[in-house]
Structures are given as C-alpha cells and as structure tokens.
Amino acid sequence: MELKAGFGKIFQENPEGIYFAPGRVNLIGEHTDYNGGNVFPCALTIGTYGAVKKRRDQMVRLFSENFEHKGVIQFSLDELVYDRRHDWANYPKGVIKVFVESGFRIPYGLDLYYSGNIPNGAGLSSSASIEVLTAFILKELFQLSVETIELVKLCQKAENEFIGVNSGIMDQFAVAMGQKDKAILLDTNSLKYRYADIRLKDASIIVTNTNKKRGLQDSKYNERRAECEEALRRLQKKLDINALGELTSKELIENKHLIEDPVLIKRALHAVTENERTLLAVKALESENIREFGKLMYASHESLRDDYEVTGAELDTLVEAAGKVDGTIGSRMTGAGFGGCTVSIVRNDAVEHFIETVGKEYRNRIGYDADFYVVSIGEGVHRIE
Ligand code: GLA
C-alpha cells in the first residue's frame, strides 16, 4: 500500500497500524449545533488516512502528504504548545494535548504519516477528520479507555481551545459515528441521536467546492456564535431556556421584542427555523418524499443567506445555478459557509448536465472554477489494518 511506502520513506521503518477517518457533509441543520439544535450530517467515503508507529522516546514526528513542503514536524510530549509554524500539525498536537491534560497516559511518542483526499478548508471537515483520526490512533495505540462520545468531545475541545475556533460538536461527531448510507440525526442539546437511511432512489449527492480561499479562524464564525449567545441572554431575561434550540419559531416571534436588535433577531430566527426544518427534512426523507427534502434544503440556504448572512456570492451562485437545472431536487451551502461547499441532490440522469451547466455559470460569474464531487456515504473512523 502507498501509505506504507510513504511511511517507510519518511520514517525508515514499517507502520504498526493503518487507520481512516472520513470527512463529513451536513445535509441540513446548519449553525444549529452550538445553539442546542438538530443537525443531520453523514460521513463521506473520502477522508484522512494515517499510518503510525509508537516510538520508545517522547518525540512526536508528524508528516502529511498534503503538506509535503512543510516536511516532518516534530515536538516532544512535554512541549505541546500551539506553534504557528507547525501549521496543519497543530490539529493533531492539540488533540494529544487535550488527551494528556484530561489524564490519559500517553507514555511514548509516535511517528505518524497522514494522507487525505478531502479538499482542505472546503467545509467538509478535513480538520475534524484529522483530529478524530489522531484521537482514535491514541486510543488504540495506548489502549486508552475512552468512550467514543468522550473522544468526540475531546476533539471538539482541541478545536475550541487549541485552534481557537468555537465550533459545535457536529463535525467530530459525524466523523467518529458515521455509518454507511446513513445520516445521523443528532440533537446537540441532549446528544441523543439516531441513524436515518439515505434512500435517494434515482438521485445522487453532489458536493460542489467554491474553491474560495477562507480560514475559519479569521472568518465570522466566532462572531455568529457570539451573536446567538447574546440573543439567548436577552431572551433569558423573561424565558426559562438554556438554548435557542428549545424554542419554536412561534415562541421566538412572540418574544422577539426581548432581543431588540434586528440583526440579533435575524440570527436567532435562523437558528430556530433551521432547527425545525431539520426535523421536517428527516421526516420527509424517511417517508421517501425527496421533493419535500429538496425544498427544505433551498429554504435552509435562503435562511443562511438572508437571516444568518454566511453565504456570499460564490455559494449563492452555485445554489442559484443548481436550481435552474432540471433534475436538481435541492441545493444549499453546507458547513460553516463564507465559501466552502454546497450540497445538492440531483437526479442521476441529470448529474452530467448539472456539472457542466453549474460549472459554466460559476466560472462566468465568479471568474474561476468550482470542483464537483459525486459523494458516497461511508463509515466513521476505523482501523484498516
Ligand atoms: C462548522 C463547525 C460546526 C458547525 C458548522 C455549521 O463546520 O465546525 O460545528 O457549527 O460549521 O453548521
């Protein structure tokens, strides 16, 4: 296997295990996971591979085929500090740090070779993929007794505290818990979840990458989260609630005067209506009403565009162009927004036409190409050999 050869070339030895963690696409339920709402993501068959071997000393040596020019990045287990020069390697480093700080014994360092086929920074959770992969490797290699849900939370903590993105739990959860051909309905308030079969009959899921450059660290992601927290605080003056996700849209509208600020009202409105749409969408999918599912996807995008304001010309162009193609059932931005990807459900007989016409319109209006992926739904993190 290529990965083994790569590992051998860089570290001059053979790996003792090979692991995989997927990327994820969220079908609906966007910007609800830090508002105690519902999300509906699934794991992809694309993701991150890792080949690993324990060391006898305290050194951690990391290499990624995707960032070859950065070379081997190394540090010792007693210097787990964020280092800008370590770039991508801060993700695995952050995970190791939260494990150590949570009292898990990592007695030795390791050599770890990564190779991923998720486009980086495209909103398909390449970062959660590398985090969960690293955490799972630590668990297996050092036989740590850590439940999957705890592992998920530790990875989220690494993202929040070490990387500095105040993300919710959706990405790490989907990457760890995904199942083939199923999406996960997760209530981020209670962390109760269940799987729903993705039965699209004669349709496929297409992910389209805007290829717009962005970094979540400098995006407005944390700002949106803070706005929702502020709206919640204002509602709590009168209402006994812990999260926006506990409200129906009717209750929110009746109480919106408590929030006062029209911008904050719009943010809360998105969080609450998106939460409702997610439950309706799962119901539609389970009763094989794909048309209805598609309509809810468009409505989700509109809410993210108008109320939450996280789309932008690139994502809007893709969704608009997708909507003009006969055979598109639904389309919306997925992930954090501000660039990244859209997810569309397209009839199989229209896929080629979709890629051609949406691609052409995007290039004409935005000035560079979008990338298209017909994706499959796969398993969460696991050992390969
Ligand atoms: C990013 C975050 C998630 C979630 C989405 C928006 O992917 O990592 O926690 O908030 O944005 O739904």
Side-chain angles (χ1 to χ4, degrees):
M1 188 175 175
E2 258 173 67
L3 207 64
K4 274 190 193 160
F7 186 95
K9 196 167 148 223
I10 298 292
F11 298 119
Q12 276 82 48
E13 51 189 352
N14 286 321
E16 60 183 275
I18 302 218
Y19 298 83
F20 173 77
R24 69 94 189 92
V25 64
N26 188 23
L27 298 180
I28 194 162
E30 217 66 82
H31 287 280
T32 49
D33 68 341
Y34 49 84
N35 285 310
N38 298 295
V39 292
F40 195 50
C42 42
L44 298 170
T45 50
I46 52 174
T48 317
Y49 294 83
V52 66
K53 187 171 165 63
K54 274 196 287 294
R55 296 176 58 86
R56 296 211 178 85
D57 60 15
Q58 298 289 298
M59 287 310 287
V60 177
R61 297 196 296 173
L62 307 173
F63 180 85
S64 168
E65 262 180 22
N66 303 70
F67 299 92
E68 227 173 328
H69 58 286
K70 299 269 172 195
V72 174
I73 293 170
Q74 54 178 39
F75 48 86
S76 147
L77 282 172
D78 55 24
E79 45 170 0
L80 298 171
V81 282
Y82 188 92
D83 185 337
R84 226 163 52 85
R85 287 165 311 168
H86 285 178
D87 199 70
W88 69 273
N90 282 302
Y91 289 93
K93 196 200 258 187
V95 169
I96 300 172
K97 185 179 158 104
V98 293
F99 267 75
V100 170
E101 279 181 355
S102 305
F104 290 105
R105 210 170 95 78
I106 315 273
Y108 306 110
L110 34 113
D111 289 339
L112 234 163
Y113 183 99
Y114 296 94
S115 173
N117 53 10
I118 317 172
N120 290 318
L124 301 178
S125 288
S126 54
S127 55
S129 178
I130 197 170
E131 286 159 6
V132 171
L133 178 68
T134 307
F136 191 76
I137 286 174
L138 291 178
K139 172 186 153 118
E140 293 249 319
L141 225 53
F142 302 115
Q143 287 157 13
L144 309 177
S145 93
V146 51
E147 300 275 334
T148 307
I149 188 67
E150 192 184 358
L151 180 148
V152 165
K153 285 184 184 166
L154 290 171
C155 290
Q156 185 197 3
K157 192 168 182 211
E159 177 95 32
N160 293 169
E161 293 175 10
F162 200 77
I163 304 298
V165 178
N166 262 329
S167 57
I169 201 165
M170 166 171 75
D171 303 349
Q172 291 81 4
F173 196 96
V175 168
M177 302 286 290
Q179 284 190 4
K180 188 171 163 27
D181 295 329
K182 292 181 198 293
I184 315 169
L185 172 63
L186 168 68
D187 173 345
T188 60
N189 211 5
S190 61
L191 292 187
K192 283 205 182 114
Y193 65 96
R194 68 180 175 83
Y195 293 95
D197 289 331
I198 302 282
R199 275 188 303 250
L200 299 176
K201 286 193 232 155
D202 54 353
S204 301
I205 301 177
I206 302 187
V207 166
T208 309
N209 188 357
T210 59
N211 285 322
K212 182 185 182 188
K213 294 274 161 276
R214 59 151 202 185
L216 277 199
Q217 272 150 306
D218 45 45
S219 78
K220 291 188 176 296
Y221 184 90
N222 287 350
E223 184 185 296
R224 288 294 175 276
R225 185 167 182 157
E227 287 169 340
C228 286
E229 282 163 5
E230 182 55 28
L232 174 66
R233 249 192 308 277
R234 295 183 185 190
L235 289 165
Q236 283 169 331
K237 283 185 284 188
K238 271 269 180 59
L239 304 181
D240 182 22
I241 52 167
N242 292 312
L244 292 177
E246 291 171 28
L247 291 177
T248 62
S249 47
K250 187 165 170 278
E251 286 165 332
L252 175 64
I253 289 163
E254 280 164 10
N255 288 285
K256 67 176 198 235
H257 59 278
L258 296 172
I259 306 180
E260 284 172 27
D261 180 334
V263 171
L264 296 186
I265 293 175
K266 285 207 294 182
R267 304 299 188 244
L269 205 57
H270 167 74
V272 171
T273 57
E274 180 75 355
N275 197 22
E276 292 175 336
R277 272 189 294 275
T278 305
L279 293 177
L280 290 173
V282 176
K283 220 171 170 187
L285 185 71
E286 288 183 327
S287 44
E288 303 199 18
N289 189 349
I290 307 296
R291 296 246 145 250
E292 181 61 20
F293 191 87
K295 275 195 203 150
L296 290 159
M297 288 175 82
Y298 283 123
S300 164
H301 186 84
E302 280 161 25
S303 175
L304 288 154
R305 182 190 66 203
D306 302 337
D307 286 342
Y308 220 59
E309 298 180 273
V310 292
T311 59
E314 298 80 4
L315 289 165
D316 292 340
T317 298
L318 285 180
V319 171
E320 232 178 83
K324 289 187 210 154
V325 175
D326 183 27
T328 304
I329 295 162
S331 186
R332 56 180 289 276
M333 60 151 267
T334 184
F338 317 101
C341 290
T342 62
V343 56
S344 309
I345 298 182
V346 181
R347 253 188 6 241
N348 291 335
D349 60 13
V351 167
E352 231 173 276
H353 180 63
F354 177 97
I355 294 175
E356 201 186 302
T357 52
V358 176
K360 203 163 158 200
E361 181 158 349
Y362 187 78
R363 193 179 328 108
N364 285 345
R365 277 167 61 182
I366 302 297
Y368 49 86
D369 283 327
D371 285 325
F372 294 83
Y373 305 85
V374 180
V375 298
S376 309
I377 312 299
E379 298 288 333
V381 66
H382 57 273
R383 182 171 186 161
I384 294 182
E385 59 175 277

